[in-house]
Each structure stands twice: as structure tokens, then as C-alpha cells.
Amino acid sequence: MLDIKFVRSNPESVKEALVKRAVDLSLDEFLNLDEERRKKLAEVEQLKNKRNVVSEEIGKLKKAGEAAEEKILEMRSVSQSIKEMDEDVKEIEVKLQNILLTIPNVPNQTVPEGTDEDDNQKVKEWGQPKEFDFEAKPHWEIGEQLDIIDFERGSKVSGARFSFYKGAGARLERALFNFMLDLHSREHGYTEIIPPFIVNADSMTGTGQLPKFAEDMFKLEGTNYYLIPTAEVPVTNLYRDEILNTDQMPIYHCAFSPCFRAEAGAAGRDTRGLIRQHQFNKVELVKFVNPDNSYEELEKLLQNAEQVLQLLGLPYRVVNLCAGDLGFSAAQTYDIEVWLPSFNTYREISSCSNFEDFQARRANIRFRREKKGKPQFVHTLNGSGLAVGRTLAAILENYQEQDGSISIPPVLQPYMGGLTKITADK
RNA sequence: GGAGAGAUGGCCGAGUGGCUUAAGGCGCACGCCUGGAAAGCGUGUGGGCGGGCAACCGCCUCAAGGGUUCAAAUCCCUUUCUCUCCGCCA
């Protein structure tokens, strides 16, 4: 959410940002409502002041045993007017809030212009895509042939975009997220969190999923609960409505969670394999930092996520998302894309963003620079570190051998009980 | 799930319709005192919104939302959360 005072005093910058993002939204209604609200507010506050003053007089008159009927009658009608005007103001405020909640964040200065992913700016490439001297198989075929992933029974038991991990596949998944959590908590200074996997609507609003993206999520029928689409939601909302002390900042959390996504607009896309599932595991990195250095923190966050791929020996590239491809809440985002041989291309495996104070304002997360200073909003950042299912897919594809087996990356072998290879016969 | 009790400022805690612009204490900040410190004394000490260049002024805020009243922390209703007991349960 943008600061209403910022929108009021910088309408041109906001309009420019909307154009840059190719979002069709007129600010004029908002600006008019804002002016109307302030006008009515001044009027009703003046009446309330009168009521406060006169009510006190009535109290004194009554105490002194004097008549106060006339003033009481007058105040009765004043109170009625206040009630009506309060309703008007409230109505305007609801409208303003509804608009404000649907205005996306302003992209930062360095975000490249562009309308879709083709305009994203390549920042770096790491590793060489491996040349296979046989035909590289897609991970779903490998998974089925090794009997470590079962898509068919996933469909039977749940539906499309669900799957079972089995045997060495289940163990590999577990090895991956344990490896990631150990790396981030031991080497990178993140405090580990296991959050609730179900949250309320306030939390979804705090991070920006609601009100605009309700159809992307699973809501539990008859309740106010949602399955989380990422650990970002519960972990960012950890400090909702709190004022943090400077000495506890910056806060780094890493969190494991399953993620649940309705994939409403993705019918027909990535229908096979692990790339686009309704449920997948992810290790998420979340930071709460001082606004002064949030962009340094973004670079460090990106490096922490990249490190996972480097240690796993998976080739990847980093792109700086253009304005048109940027998520609703983000001011800047780097995507990390891993090489998938069967797709013959790079696919997103992590998204690292600085939200500046956009989420902090929605979720009301503040801090004080000095002990007696005014509270101000923190900057929040997060990034996948990494999406576990996609990482597993990347390992199956990049580490496949001609005989159909999979070699286990050395860093994972301790997590696999020393196993170095997954073969069909086991 | 059943029965009951609660929710007041950073913390503890008073307050059952107007003398509360939330008592008192703790904590914190500043000052006095001191060679320095402690103790003591004094002053100050939440958040949001609106107006104003500012000093400052006004409004709102006693879990949240509604209601009664000229006037609500206080009375009524709803919701949320916490605690106790019972039942069930990984």
C-alpha cells in the first residue's frame, strides 16, 4: 500500500508508475474522494468539539442543580448530525481504502522498462548447461521410471497438479529442504521458523495477496482461513502491528512450508511434471530491515539464494524483472532461473524482492531509529531459497545418466545417508 | 464441544455514567543534587487522523465492531483472543 499522503502530494509520480507497469487505473476519483474526506472530516470534528464542550457544561449544570434541558435538546440534534456525517466520512474512507489497496507498488528507479518477461534484463549467468551425449529426458519421465514420483496416483487421490514422492524421491525432497535450511540458518544468519500453514484474511491483506488476488488462493470453506501460497505470508505478518526496536534489526528468517496455489489463470500451462503444482514445498527467506540499506540487503538475499544452486552445481541465470513483469507488491525483483535440459531453457526457481515499505504499511510493521524517535515503517524483503520441487526437478534433469540413474550432488549425500546414486532397481 | 472468568498506556495496576484532558507505581528521558555514582527531588514520557510554515490546535483511540445517552473505559449486543474446569484428542 502506498502512503495516502504520498499519493496526494505526488500524483504525477504515481500515475507514471501505473503507466510503467501498464496498469489501467485512474487516480482522479481517488484524489477527489481524498479532498472530500478532508473537508467533511473538518466539519464533523468541529461539531464533535462542540458536543464535548457543551456536554461538560451540562454535567456541571446538573451538579449545581440547574436546568439544562435546552442544551440537552440542542445536543441531541448535534449528535444526530454527527452520526450522519460520520457515516458519510466512513463511506468515503472505505472507498479510498479499496482503491489504495489495489494500487501496486512504485517500481524503483533501476527497474527496466518493459511489458513482459521478454523485456527482463539479464544480470548474470552461472555454470554451463551440460551437453548430454544421449537424449535428455524430462524429470517426470525420470521420476516415473525410477518409481520415485507418482503423478498418476496423485491425480487419482487428489486431482491434477498433485503428486506423490516415494522412496528415494521423498528422501531427496527432504534432503533438499534440510540442506537449504541448514545453509541459511548456519551460514547466512537466518533464524529458522516453521509457521502456520493456514492464515486469516488480515495476513493475506498485509502481504498484498488480498484483496486483488483472492482467486489464486485456496480458501477454507465456511471460515476466514486461507492455505498459505508461500511462507512469506505468515512470516512477514509475524510482526504485524508491532513497533520493533532498532537493536533487534535487521531480522532475518528462513522458513520451510508447503505452498498452496490455485493456479487459476494457468490452465494448460506446465501440465506435466513438478513445475506447476497446487502444493509444493519451499524454503523462504524473509528480511525486516532499515530503509537506508534495503537494496544492499536485496543483493545479499540474492546471493544467499544463488549459493544454494552453486553448491548443488546447477546452472542458472539471474534476471532483473522489468516493470511490466513485476509483482504487485514489489519495488524490485530478481528472478533466479535454473537450467532445465528437457525444456532447453531456464525456469524460475526463486524470486527475490524488495517491497520497500509497501507491505510494512499494509501490515503496520514499524521501528524506531532512536529510542525516542517517531516510529517509521521498516522495509521488507523476501526470496525463495529455494522452491524445493523445482530444485528436485532440476536435479533429476541435470544429474541424469544414460542408464536412467541419477547421481546425487555431493552436498546432498550426507542428507541421503551416503547414497550417491538413485537407480531403478534400488 | 460444554461451563465459567477475563482483555485498561512499554510493563504492573486503579477505575460500575459527568471532579478521568485514564489515578498510582515501575520503566525510560532530561534536569537538580554529587568529586563521580547510587539514593533522593523535579519535569516529561503512547499511537493514528485533520488543520497550520511553525509554535500549536482539534478529533479519534481503554481487545474489535455496533447500540443506548446531552455525555461511555464504565450500561447493552456481536465478534476475536486469553485463562480455569469438564469432555474429546495427535
Side-chain angles (χ1 to χ4, degrees):
Chain A
M1 185 165 65
L2 299 178
D3 183 0
I4 190 165
K5 290 172 192 162
F6 175 80
V7 180
R8 182 186 301 151
S9 46
N10 303 282
E12 292 314 313
S13 327
V14 177
K15 284 178 186 172
E16 206 176 297
L18 291 172
V19 170
K20 221 179 162 188
R21 278 180 174 270
V23 171
D24 184 26
L25 196 154
S26 163
L27 270 193
D28 295 335
E29 188 198 355
F30 180 84
L31 295 169
N32 289 337
L33 283 169
D34 176 55
E35 204 176 321
E36 198 185 340
R37 167 178 174 266
R38 284 183 291 151
K39 195 169 148 239
K40 293 212 166 171
L41 199 58
E43 287 173 23
V44 71
E45 283 186 358
Q46 204 174 343
L47 277 187
K48 283 180 179 175
N49 178 244
K50 184 172 182 185
R51 180 177 68 184
N52 288 345
V53 170
V54 176
S55 288
E56 203 181 317
E57 288 171 13
I58 292 171
K60 283 178 183 154
L61 286 175
K62 286 206 158 187
K63 188 132 297 177
E66 292 175 37
E69 275 312 304
E70 201 177 314
K71 284 182 193 287
I72 287 176
L73 279 174
E74 190 194 348
M75 284 309 104
R76 194 172 291 172
S77 80
V78 167
S79 271
Q80 187 57 36
S81 307
I82 288 174
K83 200 175 163 186
E84 285 160 16
M85 291 168 78
D86 267 346
E87 279 167 18
D88 289 349
V89 171
K90 181 80 198 209
E91 201 177 307
I92 295 170
E93 283 177 347
V94 167
K95 282 185 193 166
L96 277 171
Q97 186 71 1
N98 286 343
I99 296 173
L100 207 53
L101 285 173
T102 58
I103 299 177
N105 202 354
V106 176
N108 98 12
Q109 292 295 326
T110 66
V111 168
E113 301 220 3
T115 53
D116 57 36
E117 59 185 72
D118 295 332
D119 298 317
N120 292 341
Q121 181 183 76
K122 193 168 84 184
V123 175
K124 75 184 278 193
E125 255 178 36
W126 186 92
Q128 280 290 321
K130 190 174 166 186
E131 298 288 337
F132 292 92
D133 47 15
F134 56 92
E135 198 184 338
K137 284 181 280 194
H139 68 271
W140 53 89
E141 281 180 21
I142 301 167
E144 280 166 353
Q145 280 162 15
L146 292 174
D147 194 24
I148 57 172
I149 308 174
D150 191 337
F151 294 100
E152 270 188 43
R153 289 195 178 94
S155 305
K156 175 180 73 179
V157 172
S158 296
R161 298 192 192 284
F162 286 95
S163 54
F164 285 87
Y165 290 75
K166 185 179 170 190
R171 184 152 197 189
L172 183 57
E173 176 86 1
R174 179 156 59 90
L176 275 170
F177 62 69
N178 280 329
F179 160 66
M180 293 176 192
L181 288 167
D182 283 348
L183 176 70
H184 296 309
S185 61
R186 290 180 189 166
E187 312 288 332
H188 297 154
Y190 292 77
T191 303
E192 189 173 343
I193 299 277
I194 299 178
F197 303 151
I198 294 174
V199 298
N200 58 32
D202 283 344
S203 294
M204 286 295 192
T205 306
T207 33
Q209 280 75 17
L210 288 179
K212 272 195 92 170
F213 306 102
E215 68 282 358
D216 294 337
M217 292 172 313
F218 287 110
K219 186 174 190 193
L220 300 186
E221 198 175 351
T223 71
N224 194 27
Y225 289 138
Y226 295 82
L227 296 180
I228 59 171
T230 157
E232 163 194 352
V233 177
V235 177
T236 305
N237 280 282
L238 244 184
Y239 305 106
R240 172 148 54 86
D241 296 320
E242 293 190 26
I243 300 174
L244 303 168
N245 295 321
T246 319
D247 54 12
Q248 46 182 146
M249 303 247 296
I251 296 174
Y252 293 1
H253 287 309
C254 61
F256 167 79
S257 86
C259 304
F260 302 92
R261 299 191 181 176
E263 296 295 350
R269 276 167 59 197
D270 304 314
T271 50
R272 305 201 67 180
L274 294 174
I275 299 303
R276 197 173 296 277
Q277 297 263 290
H278 285 310
Q279 176 190 327
F280 62 93
N281 292 318
K282 183 154 62 68
V283 170
E284 185 75 359
L285 306 173
V286 180
K287 290 185 172 187
F288 303 83
V289 308
N290 188 309
D292 297 345
N293 53 15
S294 64
Y295 280 94
E296 292 160 40
E297 294 283 0
L298 177 62
E299 297 299 322
K300 278 161 64 184
L301 179 72
L302 176 65
Q303 282 168 26
N304 296 153
E306 282 181 55
Q307 176 100 51
V308 179
L309 288 167
Q310 291 175 10
L311 290 172
L312 291 172
L314 293 169
Y316 67 87
R317 68 177 183 187
V318 177
V319 297
N320 185 10
L321 296 195
C322 72
D325 203 24
L326 205 58
F328 175 78
S329 304
Q332 188 184 356
T333 298
Y334 292 115
D335 272 3
I336 303 177
E337 302 176 331
V338 71
W339 177 257
L340 287 179
S342 78
F343 289 75
N344 197 39
T345 187
Y346 292 94
R347 291 299 304 260
E348 179 189 337
I349 198 166
S350 173
S351 199
C352 300
S353 305
N354 185 355
F355 302 92
E356 298 189 354
D357 62 6
F358 189 85
Q359 290 183 327
R361 183 172 290 107
R362 285 179 163 241
N364 194 26
I365 307 167
R366 294 173 295 174
F367 80 112
R368 293 181 206 276
R369 278 177 196 275
E370 289 136 27
K371 230 178 168 70
K372 306 235 72 176
K374 272 265 170 200
Q376 56 181 276
F377 294 110
V378 303
H379 279 193
T380 61
L381 301 90
N382 67 56
S384 341
L386 307 163
V388 182
R390 287 186 179 184
T391 308
L392 188 138
I395 286 174
L396 295 190
E397 295 203 2
N398 284 280
Y399 281 88
Q400 60 183 306
E401 306 286 348
Q402 186 152 22
D403 64 2
S405 66
I406 300 297
S407 51
I408 309 283
V411 287
L412 291 181
Q413 288 171 11
Y415 292 92
M416 296 292 286
L419 195 70
T420 58
K421 231 174 181 353
I422 301 175
T423 54
D425 51 359
K426 277 170 274 205

